[in-house]
Amino acid sequence: MDLARTEVAEAAPGRRRGNAARLGLMAVPVAFFAVFFAYPVAAIVARGLEVDGAWRFGRIGDVLAQPDVRHVLWFTTWQALASTALTLLIALPAAYVFARLDFPGKQFLRAVVTVPFVLPTVVVGTAFLALVGRGGLLDELWGVRLDTTVWAILLAHVFFNYAVVVRTVGGLWSQLDPRQEEAARMLGASRLTAWRQVTLPALAPAVAAAALMVFLFTFTSFGVVQILGGPTFSTLEVEIYRQTSQVFDLSTAAVLTLVQFAAVAAVLAVHAWTVRRREAALRLVDASVTARRPRGAGQWALLGGVLVTVAGLVLLPLAVLVQRSLGAPGFGYYRALTREDGGAFLVPPVDAIGNSLQYAVAATAIAVVIGGLAATALTRRDAGRFVRGFDALLMLPLGVSAVTVGFGFLIALDEPPLDLRSSWILVPLAQALVGVPFVVRTMLPVLRAVDVRLREAAAVLGASPWRVWREVDLPMVRRALLVAAGFAFAVSLGEFGATVFIARPDNPTLPVAVARLLGRPGDMNYGQAMALSTILMVVCAVALVVLERLRTDRTGEF
């Protein structure tokens, strides 16, 4: 008993130093999010609800009572639910194929199905516009147009979120011990019964987590609905943009922002609960021993069905996008990108490529530093509620209106010492807010897998916390850090909702340039939009190929 008390007493100072170090690491990310996320969002909400120096909370009820607003809320919710259900229905068979079957070209196909997830939503909307819109492939072949229906939006959402289900559910499925299901079958259970009673309960947390993430992305959809929805369909995010930039009704925009914030916070809370269940309740095996070649007509048919789905859902829209970009003789649309038109652009549209790359590199550096510090602070699983709450807050930029953040930058960051409206750094700061959650989610599982005894041994030998990180953690997480940087680069490259407000006319990004071209009439503008979207798609695909080469089984779900 005395020996145990002695060990506890000796360990207590180490724990206190660890807690102090964790709080120190959290200080920079907390300050970053407070200044560049909470402050701009609060500023625009306050501006919208304040009248004659007093807050009018009754305005919330007035806005929500408007029929048009209720219609937007209803459409936002039901299209997100429909998109989530349709994505699960189409993607779950693919999750099984990637988890349990081994076939030639599997790694390449995994990269292919992940391409849509890293594509900017503007490119996704443009690709489906080329497929199902006026003058699109279906219109030319059969006279069928879906751009005036909700099906175009739903299919584009499935296209975008297909990889979320495949990666999240398939990643866990591949590590479930198949012998448990085989034991149930030996005891007399049918294949369906064994799957329903053994495998499905184990997969339920992953399915729930994937469904919640898909719902979150579709509930806050902006670029896809902005391009495909037209004047008929509008989500909360699109309506916030319309009220802010076109009607300039900040009061209504503020109320809609608060509604979206509350919905996103609830979804993230449920998502955090499902992730904790998944981490705590499962015993996993090496994924390399669970996959085998297809056996029987059923598995071959399932593999064939998944390949057909990938070809029709993923490859066809991208192929049509490329084909439309080559519609003018002699690469005419691409050559037109090098000319100034004196209209929507003060510079040749091709300059948007260099601008986007420069902004994305700066945003990646910021996201890696902030996200790396946050992931290190969250490494211990036994952290208190404050740290777990900080983990949930890091995900909020994925769901809170990017339009609100971008416009909030213009309103809040306009006075010294934070007068940044004319500074180039404003765009990378907004993009980094979206990249940080991906960095944290990629690095955190690897950091938690590092044996804590290695850190303790280094500390006992006199190493400082910085040296412990440099010589113990960094060698083990270097590859995950590169993957995190790749994801931050891809999502920064495609950020649109905030950038559309703060990108200067003489320094447009690729997504902003595509949106401006699509908003102008004429075949040449349409063709240039397709050409820029193709360039953006190629850059994102190259980044993804690099990610796949760096990826290990311990670099997170994506």
Side-chain angles (χ1 to χ4, degrees):
M1 182 68 70
D2 292 339
L3 180 60
R5 290 197 183 102
T6 301
E7 292 177 346
V8 171
E10 292 176 350
R15 283 197 298 271
R16 286 195 294 269
R17 286 194 298 270
N19 291 333
R22 185 183 299 110
L23 292 176
L25 290 171
M26 289 173 57
V28 175
V30 167
F32 177 80
F33 274 79
V35 174
F36 297 112
F37 177 68
Y39 176 49
V41 172
I44 193 171
V45 171
R47 180 75 63 90
L49 295 180
E50 186 177 352
V51 177
D52 296 330
W55 283 37
R56 289 186 55 197
F57 290 103
R59 178 62 178 157
I60 297 177
D62 296 338
V63 171
L64 296 180
Q66 298 175 13
D68 291 345
V69 172
R70 290 203 302 268
H71 176 73
V72 169
L73 290 172
W74 168 244
F75 175 76
T76 301
T77 304
W78 87 257
Q79 66 82 25
L81 291 172
S83 297
T84 302
L86 194 60
T87 303
L88 290 175
L89 180 66
I90 295 176
L92 281 176
Y96 171 83
V97 166
F98 282 104
R100 294 303 198 198
L101 302 185
D102 188 21
F103 52 91
K106 179 178 177 179
Q107 294 304 320
F108 173 76
L109 190 63
R110 187 195 300 271
V112 168
V113 301
T114 312
V115 166
F117 182 73
V118 299
L119 286 181
T121 56
V122 171
V123 175
V124 175
T126 306
F128 272 82
L129 193 66
L131 179 64
V132 304
R134 179 178 59 84
L137 181 64
L138 297 185
D139 190 15
E140 290 182 352
L141 294 179
W142 300 294
V144 176
R145 288 181 56 188
L146 298 178
D147 59 325
T148 56
T149 71
V150 73
W151 281 106
I153 295 173
L154 297 182
L155 290 175
H157 283 162
V158 175
F159 169 88
F160 184 76
N161 293 290
Y162 189 80
V164 175
V165 177
V166 171
R167 292 283 187 162
T168 304
V169 180
L172 178 62
W173 209 335
S174 66
Q175 294 179 276
L176 292 181
D177 192 344
R179 293 173 295 183
Q180 297 177 355
E181 188 172 325
E182 293 170 358
R185 295 196 63 194
M186 291 181 62
L187 294 175
S190 65
R191 183 183 298 273
L192 179 61
T193 301
W195 181 84
R196 189 178 68 250
Q197 296 185 358
V198 178
T199 304
L200 183 58
L203 287 176
V207 174
L212 286 167
M213 289 304 295
V214 173
F215 180 85
L216 177 65
F217 291 139
T218 54
F219 186 84
T220 58
S221 181
F222 178 56
V224 168
V225 180
Q226 177 78 352
I227 293 175
L228 296 176
T232 307
F233 303 108
S234 178
T235 57
L236 272 172
E237 187 81 352
V238 173
E239 187 64 19
I240 291 171
Y241 173 75
R242 191 180 73 85
Q243 294 290 338
T244 302
S245 63
Q246 298 176 12
V247 183
F248 207 70
D249 186 352
L250 293 185
S251 181
T252 298
V255 172
L256 296 180
T257 297
L258 291 175
V259 171
Q260 182 167 303
F261 183 85
V264 167
V267 172
L268 290 178
V270 176
H271 177 265
W273 177 73
T274 59
V275 169
R276 285 198 297 271
R277 280 189 60 195
R278 182 178 61 182
E279 289 181 346
L282 299 176
R283 292 183 178 181
L284 307 179
V285 298
D286 187 354
S288 63
V289 303
T290 62
R292 59 190 181 187
R293 292 188 63 82
R295 293 186 297 184
Q299 290 189 348
W300 280 108
L302 182 60
L303 176 58
V306 168
L307 293 178
V308 170
T309 301
V310 171
L313 180 68
V314 177
L315 294 181
L316 182 59
L318 300 180
V320 172
L321 177 64
V322 175
Q323 185 267 333
R324 288 293 187 271
S325 74
L326 299 173
F331 298 94
Y333 293 143
Y334 289 91
R335 287 189 290 107
L337 296 176
T338 63
R339 298 194 295 264
E340 296 185 31
D341 63 359
F345 298 94
L346 300 180
V347 294
V350 72
D351 287 5
I353 301 173
N355 296 334
S356 289
L357 292 175
Q358 294 173 18
Y359 287 145
V361 169
T364 299
I366 297 171
V368 167
V369 172
I370 300 299
L373 291 173
T376 304
L378 295 169
T379 298
R380 287 184 55 176
R381 294 177 181 270
D382 59 347
R385 291 183 179 179
F386 175 75
V387 176
R388 290 198 298 269
F390 174 63
D391 188 10
L393 288 175
L394 292 173
M395 295 288 288
L396 282 177
L398 293 181
V400 172
S401 171
V403 171
T404 301
V405 174
F407 196 57
F409 269 35
L410 296 181
I411 291 178
L413 306 181
D414 62 343
E415 295 179 356
L418 291 174
D419 187 1
L420 302 177
R421 286 182 301 175
S422 60
S423 174
W424 68 272
I425 197 64
L426 202 61
V427 174
L429 286 172
Q431 294 174 342
L433 284 172
V434 183
V436 168
F438 287 93
V439 173
V440 174
R441 295 271 74 81
T442 303
M443 292 186 62
L444 189 56
V446 184
L447 285 170
R448 284 179 170 171
V450 176
D451 192 339
V452 68
R453 290 172 296 183
L454 297 177
R455 300 189 185 103
E456 293 174 349
V460 168
L461 293 175
S464 65
W466 165 244
R467 188 176 180 184
V468 170
W469 159 256
R470 188 178 70 247
E471 298 186 6
V472 176
D473 292 84
L474 184 58
M476 297 185 179
V477 303
R478 183 181 292 112
R479 186 167 295 182
L481 183 63
L482 293 175
V483 173
F487 271 119
F489 178 82
V491 298
S492 299
L493 198 66
E495 205 287 322
F496 176 59
T499 308
V500 71
F501 277 96
I502 56 181
R504 290 160 50 182
D506 58 341
N507 285 289
T509 64
L510 278 169
V512 172
V514 170
R516 288 180 184 173
L517 287 168
L518 286 175
R520 303 174 67 190
D523 292 338
M524 180 57 69
N525 290 314
Y526 180 81
Q528 289 183 77
M530 297 295 165
L532 275 182
S533 296
T534 301
I535 293 172
L536 188 50
M537 178 190 70
V538 170
V539 174
C540 290
V542 169
L544 180 65
V545 170
V546 174
L547 288 181
E548 278 297 313
R549 294 182 65 87
L550 294 173
R551 187 183 63 86
T552 68
D553 288 336
R554 297 170 63 186
T555 55
E557 293 170 349
F558 292 100

